[in-house]
Amino acid sequence: MELHAIHEGYLLDQFAMEFMNRRTDEYGGSLRNRLRIATESIAAIKEKCGADYPVTVRLGMKTYIKGFNQASLDGSGEVGRTLEEGMEICKILEEAGVDAISVDAGVYDSFYWVHPPMYQPKGLNMEAGAAAKKACTIPVIVAGRMEEAEMAEEALEKGWPTELQSAGR
């Protein structure tokens, strides 16, 4: 099962982002604390369904926002999640028992990254996928305009993520 959790600005994504999460309890503060609700959810799924039950998490590696209702097409002025923080999240999710990470980027305020229109380049999340693959040993799936077999071949030749998913967008 895929847990649509830490992407697109959904609730668990809001917990994970420092500029949105102002909690002072065990669900706020450090990155591990901000991810606590996600890691507890993963643990609960594994406990109920069995340790070998496959769980993947959709992770927006970068948010492309400058603030609430302020998108950043090029990623400058990032206040949400940086690629480096996305890599740290990959490590924490792997420790939590996730079986694969499905990578995309953006939130509702930067909708054109999560649901890329035709003006976005094909394979727009490949760099984010490569960063995720460097951070963890579990499979990485990449979403976002991966509709050409040649692009997947090139990614494999370059050693980018070995599991590719066509988002069909």
Side-chain angles (χ1 to χ4, degrees):
M1 78 160 286
E2 181 158 282
L3 185 60
H4 275 247
I6 310 169
H7 89 117
E8 210 161 332
Y10 293 135
L11 180 63
L12 299 184
D13 203 11
Q14 293 172 17
F15 266 85
M17 282 188 268
E18 186 173 21
F19 97 100
M20 289 186 182
N21 183 339
R22 299 294 180 198
R23 298 178 67 106
T24 57
D25 62 7
E26 67 271 19
Y27 294 94
S30 72
L31 179 60
R32 283 191 183 273
N33 281 358
R34 296 190 320 267
L35 291 173
R36 183 181 306 271
I37 192 168
T39 57
E40 286 178 351
S41 296
I42 294 160
I45 293 166
K46 292 284 190 172
E47 182 179 326
K48 185 74 174 173
C49 299
D52 61 342
Y53 186 77
V55 176
T56 66
V57 171
R58 178 60 70 95
L59 170 62
M61 289 290 289
K62 183 171 172 59
T63 56
Y64 291 92
I65 52 175
K66 296 178 184 182
F68 290 110
N69 298 314
Q70 297 177 11
S72 172
L73 183 59
D74 64 359
S76 62
E78 182 67 68
V79 299
R81 180 172 308 111
T82 63
L83 197 57
E84 293 76 21
E85 185 174 72
M87 292 173 76
E88 289 303 311
I89 292 171
C90 289
K91 294 173 188 175
I92 293 168
L93 291 175
E94 183 173 22
E95 289 173 15
V98 168
D99 299 288
I101 297 174
S102 178
V103 170
D104 68 0
V107 295
Y108 276 101
D109 292 339
S110 56
F111 197 73
Y112 42 78
W113 280 93
V114 181
H115 301 281
M118 295 310 291
Y119 66 78
Q120 284 284 52
K122 292 181 179 181
L124 74 157
N125 291 321
M126 284 306 301
E127 294 291 339
K133 194 63 181 167
K134 284 181 188 175
C136 61
T137 61
I138 57 178
V140 173
I141 302 162
V142 180
R145 300 213 55 222
M146 287 295 299
E147 63 257 17
E148 293 181 4
E150 296 81 17
M151 184 175 289
E153 286 280 332
E154 179 185 352
L156 291 171
E157 287 171 9
K158 289 182 177 181
W160 284 357
T162 54
E163 294 78 23
L164 301 174
Q165 167 185 321
S166 174
R169 298 184 180 131

